Amino acid sequence: MKNLSKVTALALLISLGGSVVSPTAMAKPNYEEIEKRKKAKTKIMGERTGKKVVKAFDLYNEEDIDGALALLLELKPSNAFDKATVNFYLGQLNAQKENYSAAVKYMKLAISEDVLNFKDQAQSMKLMGDLYAGTKKYKEAKEIYMDWMDFTGEEDANVYIRIAQANYELKAFKDVIAPADRAIALEKPDDRKKAPYDLKIGAFYELKDYKNVVKVAETVLKTWPEMPKSWTQLGKFYMQVEDYKKGLSTMEMAYKNGHFETEVDYKILTSFYSLNEIPYKAGALFEKAMKEDKVKRTKQNVMAMASYFHQSKEIAKASKYYQEAGKFDNDAELYRKSGALLLQSEKFSQSVKALNKALELGSKKKGRIYADLADAYFQQEKYKKAYSAIMESAKDPKTRKFAKSWSSFIKEKAARKGVKI
């Protein structure tokens, strides 16, 4: 802990992003009064109360917390200091038993008279803040933490983290940054805490300040490079600011170092490959990840893999995976895509099969399908079937003109081959 310096108010008032903390969130210690408190003569409990408190602590040391509580509750101290001290211990014991409402009640009573010895009063205030935070009374927690700084004249990184957390929970996102920064400034180089950085990332994200999100995430990666999430989190944020090159290099490094933990990590990297116009690597990575059960073999994932191979002109794989994706729920459009690609790769009989399946499943793109079927049959010299298919295509307004011109050509070609239509 450190004493509050003259620059603390400025540190609390202005964050790196220039956001402002409300004046009520600033500590205003009276150092002269603090020194008087510290030098004040230590108070001691009366003999009768003191003896029973010692017995209560003996029970506590024997792990009989209920017995200790019962003994303390029997006490009816007459002076303010003894009352506050007993309430201080009752608050602590109830907190240990997770009886938080009772703990808050007794700690309030202990603090209210302001008669405890300096260290006990300070400890009570801090515990009170923790109790409020733990019971989601964030406004009250913030206030008592600031009161603690006023009372002690000290700063504590953990307290600033809790203030930042309280502001975050209260959705006062602008007010998260300054206390988080102060917590970071107070940390020792060999005892860095990730919490204030995470709070800043969360606050900037909620404020849609993605550039600052990336800056903080970059610092997190430099500070904790051994943590897998430092890499994958930064990669995701690069996607948010559309920095696809940095995103790709970050996620590739994360992948090579074995930092991928979720399916989303693979999806982000494959997206970066695609966005950087390297679709084949995207398809190949998805294919490998599915074989290793890192990515689930769902319709959406198989369809994405097919799309990546399609983009990279790996027609055979693309058509294969479109058809696999289509099987999940008999998707006519995916069978149509597969059939069209098979036609393109001159696998005519397979193309016919896929295209007919699309028709069977009720595709609404009948004109296009029949036109592709006509082409597939024509290439196999099945002129009657080709002609029949092209005439079906002519029924669709979207393909009518093309189909009519093709029908004449098919008829002529058939005639030259001695086939009567």
Side-chain angles (χ1 to χ4, degrees), residues 10-24:
L10 183 63
L12 277 168
L13 186 62
I14 304 173
S15 73
L16 290 176
S19 52
V20 178
V21 180
S22 59
T24 55

Side-chain angles (χ1 to χ4, degrees), residues 252-270:
E252 270 195 323
M253 188 66 72
Y255 176 63
K256 287 173 183 175
N257 289 333
H259 292 327
F260 278 16
E261 296 179 331
T262 68
E263 182 174 296
V264 173
D265 298 333
Y266 290 92
K267 289 181 177 180
I268 294 288
L269 178 52
T270 53

Side-chain angles (χ1 to χ4, degrees), residues 213-230:
V213 169
V214 167
K215 283 181 184 177
V216 181
E218 285 174 338
T219 302
V220 168
L221 177 56
K222 288 174 187 174
T223 310
W224 292 280
E226 74 285 356
M227 294 182 66
K229 284 186 180 177
S230 298

Side-chain angles (χ1 to χ4, degrees), residues 314-334:
E314 289 287 323
I315 304 302
K317 284 191 172 185
S319 60
K320 170 189 169 185
Y321 289 124
Y322 275 135
Q323 209 163 137
E324 182 183 330
K327 288 177 183 176
F328 278 90
D329 55 5
N330 288 327
D331 190 319
E333 175 59 13
L334 293 177

Side-chain angles (χ1 to χ4, degrees), residues 107-316:
M107 294 312 292
K108 267 188 178 179
L109 291 170
I111 293 167
S112 62
E113 297 294 329
D114 193 12
V115 292
L116 291 171
N117 289 315
F118 182 83
K119 286 185 179 178
D120 289 342
Q121 183 77 3
Q123 187 181 342
S124 298
M125 295 171 81
K126 210 178 204 183
L127 177 57
M128 191 74 173
D130 294 346
L131 288 168
Y132 277 138
T135 52
K136 299 185 179 181
K137 294 181 178 178
Y138 301 111
K139 184 174 180 293
E140 294 86 346
K142 241 171 61 169
E143 288 170 357
I144 196 73
Y145 284 137
M146 299 309 297
D147 288 345
W148 174 82
M149 283 195 273
D150 282 344
F151 182 81
T152 61
E154 295 174 345
E155 290 183 284
D156 182 344
N158 287 324
V159 169
Y160 278 116
I161 290 170
R162 290 166 194 162
I163 291 170
Q165 179 71 49
N167 283 327
Y168 187 88
E169 296 294 345
L170 291 166
K171 300 190 184 304
F173 301 118
K174 286 184 179 179
D175 294 345
V176 170
I177 311 305
D181 279 338
R182 193 64 191 147
I184 291 166
L186 289 169
E187 288 178 345
K188 295 176 182 177
D190 59 344
D191 186 27
R192 304 295 292 272
K193 294 178 177 64
K194 194 165 170 284
Y197 296 93
D198 289 340
L199 284 165
K200 285 182 69 176
I201 286 172
F204 281 132
Y205 192 88
E206 293 292 341
L207 293 166
K208 295 181 170 52
D209 186 351
Y210 301 123
K211 286 185 179 179
N212 271 319
V213 169
V214 167
K215 283 181 184 177
V216 181
E218 285 174 338
T219 302
V220 168
L221 177 56
K222 288 174 187 174
T223 310
W224 292 280
E226 74 285 356
M227 294 182 66
K229 284 186 180 177
S230 298
W231 293 86
T232 54
Q233 179 179 246
L234 178 57
K236 290 166 191 173
F237 293 143
Y238 279 134
M239 179 73 77
Q240 198 78 40
V241 295
E242 299 182 4
D243 193 337
Y244 303 135
K245 287 186 179 179
K246 281 187 180 178
L248 176 58
S249 61
T250 301
M251 292 302 284
E252 270 195 323
M253 188 66 72
Y255 176 63
K256 287 173 183 175
N257 289 333
H259 292 327
F260 278 16
E261 296 179 331
T262 68
E263 182 174 296
V264 173
D265 298 333
Y266 290 92
K267 289 181 177 180
I268 294 288
L269 178 52
T270 53
S271 294
F272 277 129
Y273 277 133
S274 180
L275 290 163
N276 281 280
E277 298 182 359
I278 318 171
Y280 179 77
K281 278 195 171 183
L285 176 63
F286 242 29
E287 191 173 46
K288 182 175 184 291
M290 279 188 195
K291 286 177 181 176
E292 294 173 353
D293 293 324
K294 305 289 186 183
V295 171
K296 291 179 182 176
R297 212 170 190 93
T298 63
K299 177 186 177 180
Q300 186 179 9
N301 289 341
V302 175
M303 198 162 58
M305 181 166 54
S307 177
Y308 292 138
F309 282 126
H310 192 171
Q311 290 171 47
S312 58
K313 303 191 188 313
E314 289 287 323
I315 304 302

Side-chain angles (χ1 to χ4, degrees), residues 332-397:
E333 175 59 13
L334 293 177
Y335 276 102
R336 186 201 66 75
K337 280 187 176 183
S338 176
L341 289 176
L342 287 164
L343 175 63
Q344 188 179 328
S345 58
E346 299 184 356
K347 294 182 179 178
F348 305 121
S349 60
Q350 291 179 41
S351 174
V352 167
K353 189 176 179 182
L355 292 168
N356 277 323
K357 183 69 174 177
L359 287 172
E360 180 190 320
L361 293 171
S363 173
K364 293 178 181 179
K365 297 181 179 179
K366 289 184 178 180
R368 289 176 65 182
I369 293 172
Y370 278 117
D372 283 344
L373 270 172
D375 194 0
Y377 284 132
F378 183 84
Q379 298 299 335
Q380 297 176 82
E381 298 186 357
K382 296 178 179 179
Y383 301 117
K384 286 186 178 181
K385 286 187 175 182
Y387 186 78
S388 177
I390 207 66
M391 293 310 291
E392 288 294 327
S393 180
K395 294 176 183 178
D396 187 333

